[in-house]
Amino acid sequence: MNTTSSPPQSGMESSTRTGADLLCETLLSQGIDHCFANPGTSEMHFVAALDRQPGMRCILGLSEGVVTGAADGYARMADKPACTLLHTGPGLANGLANLHNARRAFTPMVNIVGDHASLHAAFDAPLASDIEGLAWPMSHWVGRSSSPDSLGELAAEAVQQARTAPGRIATLILPADHAWSSTDTAAPPARGKPQPIAPQDSALAAAAQALQQPGALLLIAGAALREEGLKLAARISAHTGAKLLTQQANARVERGLGRVAIDRVPYVVDQALAKLKGTRRLVLVGAKAPVGFFAYPGKPSSMLPPDCEVITAAAPDEDLLAALHELAARVGAAADAHLPLLAQRADQKQALPLPSGALTAAAVAQSVVVQMPEQAVICDEMVSSGREFFPMSWYAAPHDYLQITGGAIGIGIPLATGAAIAAPGRKVINLQADGSAMYTLQALWTQARERLDVVTVIFSNRRYAILHGEYASVGAGAPGANAQRLFDIQDPALDWTLLARGMGVAAERADSAERFNDLLAAALQQRGPFLIEAVI
Amino acid sequence: MNTTSSPPQSGMESSTRTGADLLCETLLSQGIDHCFANPGTSEMHFVAALDRQPGMRCILGLSEGVVTGAADGYARMADKPACTLLHTGPGLANGLANLHNARRAFTPMVNIVGDHASLHAAFDAPLASDIEGLAWPMSHWVGRSSSPDSLGELAAEAVQQARTAPGRIATLILPADHAWSSTDTAAPPARGKPQPIAPQDSALAAAAQALQQPGALLLIAGAALREEGLKLAARISAHTGAKLLTQQANARVERGLGRVAIDRVPYVVDQALAKLKGTRRLVLVGAKAPVGFFAYPGKPSSMLPPDCEVITAAAPDEDLLAALHELAARVGAAADAHLPLLAQRADQKQALPLPSGALTAAAVAQSVVVQMPEQAVICDEMVSSGREFFPMSWYAAPHDYLQITGGAIGIGIPLATGAAIAAPGRKVINLQADGSAMYTLQALWTQARERLDVVTVIFSNRRYAILHGEYASVGAGAPGANAQRLFDIQDPALDWTLLARGMGVAAERADSAERFNDLLAAALQQRGPFLIEAVI
């Protein structure tokens, strides 16, 4: 949509019902009652409207990467969108990296981006920029109000877009004068949640046939990674002999004892190629055929064997549970079939002790796996430190597992913040690489402000450890002086206990496994945010 | 430019000269020898090339807002561009807000944005995004290499674009395979710096005539705000009786005793309208006709009287000093004319004592004005706290004054970081609002890493104070519960001494004027970064 000018409006009394009020009422009527925000002057009337809506919970983030990352974490756990409030083009720009992650996670989200009053646009004021141009690369839908009256239908459409399966980023641009001008237009009634597209019979038939042939692999993602979908997929796998995997990165997986211990495609190219070797028929349910996270000289982009056939049983925007039910029926997997993937791992729970001795990334992972409470929410932005955690977490108490999905670092602390707001009463544990943590450390303040029950574990290796590995992987040899200066974040070392306390979050440092075990036990026992700097 | 695919390349030995080497050699041959960076995997070969160029100084920023803001500060003080190194679309996105400020400051800058290998693009890997789409809103020029061999001419063109008056943002997208593939193409020879366009005779004639008529105002910006331009403008003003002003926000002004005490257009609309009342002829030299920073209900967007004539003597991309010389000659302002704006203020230096008693924003400003050393560099991101500083700094020792230019908060700490790198031996004093400081506090770490001589003064009012004012200005009444939660950043209060020390920067807190005076004196005496939290 394009800007359309509207006649200048005079100042409004605070008792006047404005376009901003219509927008807020519509968000609430469509089921959005959380607003993650960092407003500016052009959003003051929207803030005034929020003031008149006690049913809308407003959460301040001290930078926009916090705002969009928290809205992502909220939606992954609430299974419905939050809205964000962002200040003009630069405010949106600061939030784009975590919108990129949310887009890759298929997270539903509605961004409200304030803009200058429509008649002010011609004056190219200092904050003016091409908001649509900034929004489109990270949005599935972008709209701009044409008048105050238009805000009801436009906001309802934005929410419907966000809720369209599997989840979309909708960005609504709000000129200040449309927010501040009066309107009598009523908020539209609640619209039903859009239903996912039904899977195609021909696709299911082809998939069912492929699953029963040699070299079949069932790759699932999205809604299929909740308990019901995982069980269906495990039954299909057990019955047909097809392998079962999920993608390298997923928005949310239900994991732990008594659930299906699904494995994933490895990040490292050679490991992924080895894992997928021999695959002749790849059946996708909500997943994408595996590709290298990056390209490397002399290595392929696709992780599949060259002769592998790819069969899409259900695309991400289709009804994945329906597809799995149908596939299970078509391959003859009985409802009560034995689930080896589930039982096999549960037996080994007793084998995993608390770690001792030197603190390593693996020791941290092991301590978390052993100690995490039932129904914990794990947020994983461990990057290179975290490759030990996922296989071990088969043995953990039942939990939800949330990952960085788009590779834009700086999501972990915000993601945990939003997840904790959506899931009160559940312990959120954020496993967090130090380099990535620095991108959006401001989210710790929001955790303190909102008294959120989050334990942040910083893997403090004082380097972008992944870049040391990647430098070698691309064939660049040993890092020299300039490379070292760009890869290492010591000199000075970051003191995460001071950084956390500076934002009101209690924090301690661990440099042995025993100390880490004790600190984690204490942190899990108390309520409210706590940070552990694990020096590894 | 569009992506063009190139044949796949095998892995290179580290001794092979690559496209990345050609790019680095070209940057150096065109005079760029500072690289502000936060690289990722797709930039590893560029990093390897940097390793082979000891003449290129690499400075790591722990988030991309630090990287672009520091490159801006560097260029403002070095009068030449630095390059940045950013990791794919999300890395660029994180740097866009400070690119917006740099664009508004007409800062020359070359951004190198790494992208996936060109053949990997079709696979839509997790980090893939529309980099061109993200770059254009904040760039004057965007290019993408078509082959390894193309990188020499393309980089030379990017540097020329950046150096084109008054300064441009050039963004060069570098697919990983063009960086890693071999090339024999030589780096192009140094190109001369592009000269600004000569001012038009007819424009100068009209301007000279207008300046000599009643109600004339000479509004200058850009290169006209260095000592020579200011003196010329002051002569013209003294001779013709035309008022002299500069814009509300400027990239760099040479100020202090013995220099022209130019005033600026106020930020607050009513004050700006009052200041410009009676202006009948506005003559622009590198400046833009004043507009409201924001629009407000019932208030105009232009700050000029409706009947005011606007005469552009020289546009920002023209030779502003030549224009002022020519205008001075045409109005008959003698080279040795009396400069009242200069002398008048110098006399009053003795009148300004050190502040005492309660610590206020004005007391902080006064202490800085009294104590700052000769040739200090002031970075101003005080936002609402800083309106007292500018008029007082007439009395300060000669210094350079750098401002936030585009309203995208989060520039101050990075700007000071880059300015300190460009101006070793000069004291950099960053006057910094707390809310804005939180956006890019990571830059303190770079100050510690690089042992930069920067004193950061945090105006710790524990709120987005400007929003309290703006909420009232837009007629929204008194903030309610939701608004208070979005405007105040207490509960918990940020502890800036802990945040700074957590990044290796020494820090202390002041809550009286006397304590602030003492801390500032000590900070100015020592070398290296120091932070003072001024609780106001």
Side-chain angles (χ1 to χ4, degrees), chain B residues 431-451:
Chain B
L431 304 173
Q432 180 63 55
D434 55 355
S436 308
M438 276 304 283
Y439 270 57
T440 46
L441 74 164
Q442 301 92 338
L444 291 171
W445 180 85
T446 301
Q447 294 180 9
R449 154 73 76 96
E450 303 287 340
R451 277 77 170 165

Side-chain angles (χ1 to χ4, degrees), chain A residues 9-14 37-42 44-45 47-48 50-54 56-64 85 87-90 93-94 96-97 100 103-104 116-117 119-120 123-130 133-134 137-138 180 267 288 291-298 300-302 405-409 435 438-442 445 448-451 464 466-467 470-471 474-496 498-499 501-504, chain B residues 9-14 37-42 44-45 47-48 50-54 56-64 85 87-90 93-94 96-97 100 103-104 116-117 119-120 123-130 133-134 137-138 180 267 288 291-298 300-302 405-409 435 438-442 445 448-451 464 466-467 470-471 474-496 498-499 501-504:
Chain A
Q9 305 286 335
S10 60
M12 290 293 133
E13 297 301 310
S14 59
N38 190 293
T41 297
S42 41
M44 287 298 97
H45 285 87
V47 172
L50 291 170
D51 257 344
R52 292 188 279 272
Q53 297 291 354
M56 183 71 83
R57 181 172 175 189
C58 295
I59 301 108
L60 176 61
L62 296 190
S63 73
E64 289 86 354
L85 176 56
H87 179 43
T88 73
N94 285 329
L96 286 174
H100 172 84
R103 178 173 71 97
R104 291 295 186 182
H116 285 303
L119 286 176
H120 202 58
F123 293 86
D124 191 34
L127 258 171
S129 66
D130 175 5
L134 292 165
M138 303 310 185
W180 79 50
Y267 171 88
K288 184 171 178 300
V291 303
F293 199 93
F294 291 107
Y296 301 88
S301 286
S302 167
T405 46
I409 62 172
M438 276 305 282
Y439 271 56
T440 46
L441 74 165
Q442 301 92 340
W445 180 85
R449 153 75 73 96
E450 303 288 339
R451 277 78 171 164
Y464 293 111
I466 194 168
L467 296 187
E470 298 287 336
Y471 196 82
V474 299
N482 269 336
Q484 295 273 6
R485 295 282 286 177
L486 295 178
F487 295 170
D488 291 340
I489 55 178
Q490 55 198 9
D491 182 24
L494 295 163
D495 185 326
W496 278 98
L498 294 182
L499 293 173
R501 290 178 203 148
M503 287 180 274
Chain B
Q9 305 286 333
S10 60
M12 291 293 135
E13 296 302 310
S14 60
N38 190 292
T41 297
S42 42
M44 288 298 97
H45 285 87
V47 172
L50 291 170
D51 257 345
R52 292 188 280 271
Q53 298 291 354
M56 182 72 82
R57 181 173 176 189
C58 296
I59 301 108
L60 176 61
L62 295 190
S63 74
E64 289 87 355
L85 176 56
H87 179 42
T88 73
N94 285 328
L96 286 174
H100 172 85
R103 178 173 71 98
R104 292 294 185 183
H116 286 303
L119 285 176
H120 203 58
F123 293 85
D124 191 33
L127 258 171
S129 65
D130 175 5
L134 292 166
M138 304 310 185
W180 79 49
Y267 171 88
K288 185 171 177 300
V291 302
F293 199 93
F294 290 107
Y296 300 89
S301 285
S302 167
T405 47
I409 63 172
M438 276 304 283
Y439 270 57
T440 46
L441 74 164
Q442 301 92 338
W445 180 85
R449 154 73 76 96
E450 303 287 340
R451 277 77 170 165
Y464 294 110
I466 194 168
L467 296 188
E470 298 286 335
Y471 196 82
V474 300
N482 268 337
Q484 295 274 7
R485 295 282 287 176
L486 295 179
F487 295 169
D488 292 339
I489 55 179
Q490 54 198 11
D491 182 26
L494 294 163
D495 186 327
W496 278 98
L498 295 181
L499 293 172
R501 289 177 204 149
M503 288 180 275

Side-chain angles (χ1 to χ4, degrees), chain B residues 254-259 349 368-378 389 392-400:
Chain B
E254 292 187 343
R255 280 179 79 73
L257 288 172
R259 290 174 172 167
K349 161 72 176 167
V368 172
V369 165
V370 174
Q371 297 197 66
M372 75 164 87
E374 294 260 339
Q375 295 307 317
V377 179
I378 301 289
F389 179 83
M392 259 194 263
S393 64
W394 285 332
Y395 309 104
H399 63 279
D400 281 271

Side-chain angles (χ1 to χ4, degrees), chain A residues 267-515:
Chain A
Y267 171 88
V268 176
V269 167
D270 290 342
Q271 295 172 14
L273 292 171
K275 189 102 178 172
L276 297 170
K277 197 175 169 185
T279 305
R280 294 168 59 187
R281 293 162 188 92
L282 177 70
V283 175
L284 301 174
V285 175
K288 184 171 178 300
V291 303
F293 199 93
F294 291 107
Y296 301 88
K299 293 190 178 175
S301 286
S302 167
M303 298 298 100
L304 297 176
D307 59 347
C308 179
E309 188 188 356
V310 177
I311 303 102
T312 299
D317 59 352
E318 294 182 324
D319 189 334
L320 306 184
L321 278 185
L324 287 170
H325 275 292
E326 189 60 31
L327 287 175
R330 292 190 187 211
V331 302
D336 58 352
H338 182 55
L339 294 177
L341 280 165
L342 191 74
Q344 181 186 330
R345 303 297 170 181
D347 295 343
Q348 295 175 23
K349 162 73 175 166
Q350 307 310 324
L352 206 67
L354 277 175
S356 61
L359 193 57
T360 60
V364 170
Q366 190 170 331
S367 187
V368 172
V369 165
V370 174
Q371 297 197 66
M372 75 164 87
E374 294 260 339
Q375 295 307 317
V377 179
I378 301 290
C379 295
D380 173 0
E381 197 183 29
M382 290 179 277
V383 192
S384 62
S385 295
R387 295 171 189 161
E388 288 93 348
F389 180 82
F390 192 78
M392 260 194 265
S393 64
W394 285 332
Y395 310 103
H399 64 278
D400 281 272
Y401 174 74
L402 280 49
Q403 271 176 285
I404 176 172
T405 46
I409 62 172
I411 193 177
I413 311 179
L415 193 74
T417 303
I421 286 170
R426 298 179 66 174
K427 200 78 181 180
V428 177
I429 303 173
N430 175 31
L431 303 173
Q432 181 63 55
D434 54 354
S436 308
M438 276 305 282
Y439 271 56
T440 46
L441 74 165
Q442 301 92 340
L444 290 172
W445 180 85
T446 302
Q447 293 180 10
R449 153 75 73 96
E450 303 288 339
R451 277 78 171 164
L452 300 178
D453 207 12
V454 180
V455 180
T456 302
V457 177
I458 300 285
F459 287 73
S460 182
N461 59 16
R462 295 165 182 176
R463 48 173 55 189
Y464 293 111
I466 194 168
L467 296 187
H468 280 274
E470 298 287 336
Y471 196 82
S473 294
V474 299
N482 269 336
Q484 295 273 6
R485 295 282 286 177
L486 295 178
F487 295 170
D488 291 340
I489 55 178
Q490 55 198 9
D491 182 24
L494 295 163
D495 185 326
W496 278 98
T497 65
L498 294 182
L499 293 173
R501 290 178 203 148
M503 287 180 274
V505 171
E508 297 293 342
R509 181 177 297 117
D511 48 17
S512 72
E514 289 79 2
R515 170 81 171 148

Side-chain angles (χ1 to χ4, degrees), chain A residues 190-203:
Chain A
R191 297 191 188 171
K193 184 176 175 180
Q195 291 308 302
I197 299 166
Q200 290 176 29
D201 186 74
S202 59

Side-chain angles (χ1 to χ4, degrees), chain B residues 30 46 146 230 281 340 344 372 374 377 398 474 480 500 507:
Chain B
Q30 308 303 314
F46 187 82
S146 56
L230 282 164
R281 292 162 190 92
Q344 178 185 333
M372 75 164 87
E374 294 260 339
V377 179
V474 300

